[in-house]
Amino acid sequence: MLKDIQVTGKKDTRSGFGDGMTELGRTNPNVVALTADLAGSLKLNTFIKENPDRFIQCGIAEANMIGVAAGLTIGGKIPFTTTFANFSTGRVYDQIRQSVAYSEKNVKICASHAGLTLGEDGATHQILEDIGMMKMLPGMTVIVPCDYEQTRKATLAIADFKGPVYLRFGRPVWPIFTEGMPFEIGKAQVFSEGTDVSIFACGHMVWNAIEAGRILEEKGLSVEVINIHTIKPLDEAAILKSLAKTRCAVTVEEHNILGGLGESVARVAAANQPTPIETIGTNDTFGESGTPMQLLEKYGLGTQNIVAAAERVMKRKQK
């Protein structure tokens, strides 16, 4: 039951990345960290202090950073590039496509400050298109963990994974609720099993989905909440298994509904098991300045928005 999920603390997901990098610095001599003038924001200070010879400060030159990272892989290194999500993707998409994806380089593109919850920095920094951009690149793995602990585990996991990876995480302090739970790339995480409605979410929105599920359970509904932390490769089996039971779904993401998690789930459903689906996310728009919670509410990503979407989609089920 969703009410049994325990919050063990609160911490930003970028700190999960930083702590994961610290662990890797101590256990994997091939891991190298690169940054585009944002070492502090990406929580790399301990890694740098302990491994000064495995840190490269590229300055505000993101395209060069991607090129350097691609080159490092030729010598067997495992480069982790770090900057804000907007600069990790939109600013350097050509370099990622040509030097990393096309060349199948073992580069880990680690992107903080993603989505609306970057907050007051506003629309120029709140990239809402990056999941779509990155999942379209052939061979690119795309991971969007939901809390501090899952981000830490994902950071460790991608070091052992062969091939290019995009790891997306955020800035705000957020509940920690996955301690003790395993993380496996490409394997969805089921928080509750149900028969009335499926809620598929990623990133910060997993917590909102859990809270929405609790409200729906209090109304007597049976809710299945699934964390799709790996957008690509997508756990299609888990999605189809859930839809076979509930016959309707809501998708929730801190991203444009055009090109993100919702479209991936809808594609799988349309090809295998046509199902009514409501998508929660931003709708073909840029963001703006505001606190994270203000922005999530304004753009329709709040808990009550998920509840309302679930109630709508259940009415669309075929009898």
Side-chain angles (χ1 to χ4, degrees):
M1 297 288 285
L2 293 170
K3 63 181 178 61
D4 298 324
I5 295 173
Q6 298 295 314
V7 173
T8 56
K10 290 188 174 183
K11 215 168 187 180
D12 49 327
T13 49
R14 60 178 171 154
S15 287
F17 170 73
D19 288 349
M21 288 297 292
T22 297
E23 292 183 50
L24 287 173
R26 296 167 181 169
T27 59
N28 192 329
N30 286 320
V31 168
V32 178
L34 301 86
T35 195
D37 203 37
L38 286 169
S41 293
L42 273 290
K43 305 295 184 178
L44 289 175
N45 291 337
T46 302
F47 179 94
I48 296 168
K49 181 179 179 181
E50 295 182 359
N51 311 279
D53 59 334
R54 288 193 279 143
F55 169 69
I56 302 173
Q57 172 59 267
C58 296
I60 306 175
E62 293 85 356
N64 182 56
M65 177 173 68
I66 295 297
V68 171
L72 285 167
T73 66
I74 297 171
K77 299 303 181 184
I78 307 171
F80 283 64
T81 67
T82 64
T83 183
F84 291 177
N86 192 21
F87 310 141
S88 288
T89 57
R91 181 169 289 180
V92 292
Y93 196 68
D94 177 57
Q95 285 73 27
I96 292 171
R97 183 182 187 275
Q98 305 298 92
S99 298
V100 176
Y102 178 67
S103 304
E104 299 179 343
K105 293 295 193 294
N106 192 32
V107 175
K108 316 306 175 184
I109 301 165
C110 304
S112 182
H113 294 57
L116 290 170
T117 51
L118 173 54
E120 291 84 350
D121 283 5
T124 57
H125 286 50
Q126 296 162 345
I127 193 160
L128 301 167
E129 314 91 59
D130 54 318
I131 292 174
M133 293 167 64
M134 298 303 280
K135 78 176 187 180
M136 286 191 294
L137 288 171
M140 181 68 69
T141 293
V142 179
I143 302 173
V144 188
C146 65
D147 68 355
Y148 161 89
E149 181 63 11
Q150 190 163 85
T151 307
R152 185 186 67 82
K153 289 176 180 173
T155 303
L156 299 177
I158 65 175
D160 293 327
F161 180 86
K162 300 301 181 184
V165 175
Y166 180 59
L167 180 65
R168 182 194 209 242
F169 44 94
R171 177 188 189 184
V173 171
W174 212 251
I176 302 170
F177 52 95
T178 67
E179 283 194 359
M181 299 180 183
F183 172 84
E184 182 180 344
I185 295 172
K187 184 70 173 177
Q189 182 180 32
V190 180
F191 280 102
S192 65
E193 294 193 8
T195 56
D196 288 325
V197 62
S198 302
I199 304 178
F200 301 108
C202 64
H204 293 131
M205 295 301 97
V206 174
W207 179 248
N208 284 15
I210 289 170
E211 291 196 310
R214 287 172 171 171
I215 294 170
L216 292 164
E217 284 183 344
E218 288 173 0
K219 296 183 177 186
L221 297 168
S222 178
V223 184
E224 189 144 295
V225 175
I226 299 180
N227 173 17
I228 308 291
H229 52 68
T230 305
I231 309 296
K232 181 187 175 188
L234 192 65
D235 191 345
E236 297 187 5
I239 292 169
L240 292 172
K241 180 180 178 181
S242 182
L243 294 180
K245 292 187 293 181
T246 63
R247 297 181 294 115
C248 68
V250 177
T251 65
V252 195
E253 59 193 308
E254 192 183 344
H255 184 271
N256 194 340
I257 60 173
L258 305 176
L261 169 65
E263 284 199 350
S264 290
V265 172
R267 175 187 56 78
V268 172
N272 299 277
Q273 194 166 300
T275 308
I277 296 174
E278 293 277 337
T279 54
I280 296 285
T282 59
N283 187 3
D284 196 25
T285 184
F286 292 102
E288 61 183 286
S289 296
T291 67
M293 297 314 295
Q294 285 174 334
L295 293 170
L296 291 179
E297 290 297 328
K298 174 168 181 177
Y299 288 89
L301 280 72
T303 299
Q304 290 299 331
N305 299 105
I306 302 170
V307 171
E311 292 174 337
R312 284 195 307 271
V313 81
M314 283 188 287
K315 293 177 182 177
R316 295 172 53 199
K317 280 191 198 184
Q318 291 183 349
K319 302 298 183 182

